[in-house]
Amino acid sequence: MRLGGTVCCNNPAEWEEKLVQSGFRAITAPFTCETPREEIQRLLRITEKHDVAIAEVGVWKNVFDPAEGRTNLEYAVRQLKLADELSIPCCVNIAGTESTAGWDAADRGNFTQAMYDRLVSSLREIIDRASPKKAFYCLEPMPWMLPDSPETCLQLMKDVDRKQFAVHMDFVNIINCPRRFLDAERFIEECFRLLGPYIKSTHLKDSRMDLMRLTTVLEECSPGEGSLDFVQILKAIDRYLPADAPVLLEHMTTFEEYRRAYDYVAGKAAEAGVGI
């Protein structure tokens, strides 16, 4: 696998230095469709120089926002076009919500049949308008938004019925109940077994549950700070995904936090006999 994460720095020269220091072999795109083309080309030359794959282009906008939904959908189309133009395999977003509480809010409406139908329609529109040949549009699974299980991912792929719609894997996001947490390695294995052929990018993090509080409190955390068995997880990723599949650490706030997480996972990969 190509293990990596996100490198943040405003100056391209400093960004290159941080990229090299990170040891990352895969990264999230450090640009968007609104970035000047000359800057994009400079960043691409840096990644090519150091044999670092750009694994995914993020959208991270709510296409169902009551006020900005159409503008956000247009942005999703443009991001997918950019990913396709640059042969970046994954353009990823979340499904979205009609809630006014936030762009990724939990809301009872997220699971209605009407929302499901609207989601299928929006995914078809984005893919049809962008008409990608190399990039795939993907949804990151969420704990309180579709898709929230591997089975829902498969059903969405069937109903969207577009070749360039695929899967983004974030198994921690859908370890959203005690049953999945307490049998996490079996659940994660099932995610990769069912979805492996369709996964274009994977997010990697840990999960912990507060065993002293009622009711359930689950939270994500950096690898090594939770309860997940990374030897078994890395073996599952290696078993079901291609050897060069991108696996990205996420949601750390500093370079040092990313470095610690990378070193922890690299150590577990060596223990598991998995190449990174």
Side-chain angles (χ1 to χ4, degrees):
M1 71 187 69
R2 281 181 172 264
L3 180 62
T6 298
V7 177
C8 296
C9 192
N10 292 327
N11 181 297
E14 293 178 5
W15 184 83
E16 181 176 9
E17 182 180 349
K18 288 290 187 184
L19 178 65
V20 173
Q21 290 176 2
S22 72
F24 291 172
R25 300 300 308 284
I27 58 170
T28 57
F31 49 73
T32 74
C33 58
E34 297 174 348
T35 304
R37 284 297 166 136
E38 59 271 20
E39 183 176 338
I40 290 177
Q41 291 304 316
R42 182 174 181 182
L43 293 167
L44 287 174
R45 287 193 295 270
I46 291 172
T47 59
E48 291 167 3
K49 174 182 175 182
H50 298 290
D51 188 27
V52 175
I54 299 177
E56 60 187 51
V57 170
V59 178
W60 312 131
K61 291 183 183 291
N62 180 12
V63 301
F64 300 128
D65 181 271
E68 302 292 334
R70 289 308 302 179
T71 299
N72 293 340
L73 188 142
E74 294 291 335
Y75 182 77
V77 172
R78 292 166 60 204
Q79 286 288 82
L80 181 53
K81 285 183 176 180
L82 177 68
D84 196 55
E85 177 189 339
L86 301 180
S87 299
I88 298 169
C90 177
C91 179
V92 58
N93 198 10
I94 61 171
T97 178
E98 294 177 333
S99 171
T100 58
W103 79 286
D104 58 352
D107 188 85
R108 65 186 298 178
N110 294 351
F111 296 103
T112 65
Q113 184 62 47
M115 174 52 78
Y116 185 85
D117 294 342
R118 193 176 177 194
L119 175 59
V120 169
S121 178
S122 72
L123 292 167
R124 288 174 176 172
E125 180 180 353
I126 290 165
I127 294 167
D128 289 348
R129 289 181 55 194
S131 191
K133 302 297 187 294
K134 300 175 183 177
F136 294 80
Y137 196 76
C138 304
L139 292 181
E140 180 171 325
M142 292 288 284
W144 47 63
M145 185 180 293
L146 298 174
D148 62 344
S149 70
E151 292 80 10
T152 307
C153 289
L154 289 174
Q155 188 63 51
L156 267 173
M157 290 183 64
K158 178 180 178 181
D159 293 340
V160 171
D161 193 26
R162 295 296 186 272
K163 181 181 177 182
Q164 299 306 117
F165 180 58
V167 172
H168 181 283
M169 175 49 60
D170 190 322
F171 49 82
V172 166
N173 280 5
I174 49 176
I175 297 177
N176 58 359
C177 65
R179 185 172 296 192
R180 286 181 179 175
F181 176 84
L182 294 170
D183 198 12
E185 282 65 50
R186 186 208 59 79
F187 174 69
I188 294 166
E189 174 91 14
E190 187 73 353
C191 286
F192 283 103
R193 185 185 70 81
L194 290 174
L195 300 174
Y198 316 110
I199 294 172
K200 301 304 174 184
S201 186
T202 297
H203 283 173
L204 192 64
K205 50 200 177 187
D206 211 335
S207 181
R208 59 191 172 207
M209 184 169 72
D210 191 330
L211 302 179
M212 302 300 293
R213 292 174 61 188
L214 293 176
T215 56
T216 304
V217 177
L218 280 161
E219 60 182 352
E220 69 170 59
C221 52
S222 297
E225 296 181 1
S227 301
L228 298 186
D229 184 338
F230 274 81
V231 169
Q232 295 305 314
I233 290 168
L234 293 167
K235 284 181 177 180
I237 292 173
D238 189 58
R239 185 158 51 249
Y240 292 109
L241 298 188
D244 62 345
V247 178
L248 303 177
L249 303 160
E250 69 160 359
H251 291 171
M252 279 137 258
T253 57
T254 68
F255 178 82
E256 290 73 23
E257 288 173 343
Y258 271 107
R259 185 70 244 184
R260 283 196 300 271
Y262 182 93
D263 289 344
Y264 177 84
V265 174
K268 291 298 180 180
E271 187 178 337
V274 173
I276 60 171

